Amino acid sequence: MPVSEAAGPGEWGAEIARVLFDEAAIRQRVQELAAAITADYLPCWQQDPRWRLSLVSVLRGAVFFVADLARALRVPAAIDFMAVSAYGDTGRVRILKDLEDDIQDRDVLVVEDIIDTGLTLGYLLSQLRARKPRSLAVATLIDRAGMRLVHDLPVRYTGFEIGNTFVVGYGLDFRERYRNLPFIGVLREEVMDEAPERPRLAHPSEEEFARLLDFYRIRWEYEPRTFVLLEDEAGQVKVGFSPDFYLPDFDLYVELTTKKPHLMNRKLRQVEALRQQYPGVQIELLDRADFEILARKLQARERP
Ligand code: IMP
Ligand code: MG
């Protein structure tokens, strides 16, 4: 289904460069995945008439996929949702909304929209595994396997594999837009290149620091990079750390902290580990009381 090149205002063609998977292709693939899942789990139901598959879906991108997939299954299924933050200042995914149901001894199938680095899913699975499900597997609509940092994920069902293009539609967003497109497509470059939105900051102290930097006209980026601090023998990322701010004019990372001892200690350890493993990287750990001092110091400093 081509999106018209000559699209006018109010038509998707003005923003979407091309359609990768149209409605019919998605419907077809979802049916195939559902058939494979049904075949794999049918014996569980045949052994126990009270059995059901526990679908765990990740908000918000996977909602369309799980809704269509669940309706195409021919085994009983419960649906539950989780919401997680991106791997932020703690180097770990934070659970923003947890499951309603207990998954102990259940057969759990995590339903994802897209797996990119796999960091999000990796953390999510470690959380779920700790709750002792009987089995744990993953179905993802899209897999961008070329970007994977975490490799041993139990991805048993994959809808489509794609390369390194950013895609939108059928649940996937760019800045909370395009989720409701019935197809999966690639955005026009002009749309992707638009001025970056001011990022949503996680804590009031980050807002305060950002306002201060703005006031002193110091350019900043929010959590632009994740440093790998710990890998296991297989080269899997175990701990990542994304400093809160990067000040490009000073080539300086800044991590904010509070006086709370447990937070302070963890952040100190992370900053120390980063300094040791990335000797070329400059990072400062900043207490709230130091915000203004640093901002004024930087403003006075010659930009290299
Ligand atoms: P990961 O931790 O790098 O695997 O992050 C995966 C998450 O990044 C997904 O759940 C999406 O929210 C988002 N994401 C990654 N690639 C795309 C894309 O091409 N379009 C929209 N969202 C994406
Ligand atoms: Mg997203």
Side-chain angles (χ1 to χ4, degrees), residues 87 112-120 144 166-167 172-173:
Y87 24 94
E112 261 283 25
D113 51 355
I114 183 165
I115 307 172
D116 194 33
T117 63
L119 281 165
T120 310
R144 195 171 12 234
F166 191 85
V167 292
L172 292 159
D173 74 306

Side-chain angles (χ1 to χ4, degrees), residues 115-136:
I115 307 172
D116 194 33
T117 63
L119 281 165
T120 310
L121 183 62
Y123 284 121
L124 191 68
L125 289 173
S126 66
Q127 291 287 327
L128 296 178
R129 218 172 268 128
R131 302 177 191 183
K132 308 260 183 283
R134 188 165 84 138
S135 69
L136 187 57

Side-chain angles (χ1 to χ4, degrees), residues 3-156:
V3 180
S4 164
E5 284 289 324
E11 291 171 54
W12 288 120
E15 290 158 73
I16 305 293
R18 65 201 156 88
V19 174
L20 271 188
F21 309 108
D22 66 16
E23 277 189 79
I26 296 171
R27 200 179 313 121
Q28 168 76 28
R29 193 70 191 115
V30 170
Q31 295 294 327
E32 289 168 5
L33 292 179
I37 295 166
T38 297
D40 288 347
Y41 289 95
L42 190 58
C44 302
W45 188 21
Q46 287 166 337
Q47 270 168 22
D48 174 7
R50 305 296 307 154
W51 176 91
R52 62 185 175 269
L53 179 61
S54 294
L55 297 175
V56 168
S57 177
V58 186
L59 294 172
R60 306 174 212 172
V63 290
F64 297 86
F65 179 41
V66 76
D68 287 342
L69 185 72
R71 281 179 289 182
L73 292 177
R74 294 294 171 264
V75 291
I79 307 180
D80 206 345
F81 293 95
M82 265 181 120
V84 292
S85 68
Y87 24 94
D89 59 351
T90 59
R92 271 163 214 282
V93 169
R94 255 178 314 157
I95 295 179
L96 301 176
K97 184 219 169 292
D98 207 338
L99 297 176
E100 305 291 331
D101 301 336
D102 190 1
I103 56 164
Q104 185 170 356
D105 298 327
R106 300 269 177 215
D107 292 298
V108 173
L109 183 64
V110 175
V111 180
E112 261 283 25
D113 51 355
I114 183 165
I115 307 172
D116 194 33
T117 63
L119 281 165
T120 310
L121 183 62
Y123 284 121
L124 191 68
L125 289 173
S126 66
Q127 291 287 327
L128 296 178
R129 218 172 268 128
R131 302 177 191 183
K132 308 260 183 283
R134 188 165 84 138
S135 69
L136 187 57
V138 179
T140 187
L141 180 65
I142 299 175
D143 191 356
R144 195 171 12 234
M147 293 297 287
R148 199 59 47 79
L149 288 174
V150 181
H151 299 279
D152 61 352
L153 303 170
V155 182
R156 198 175 298 155

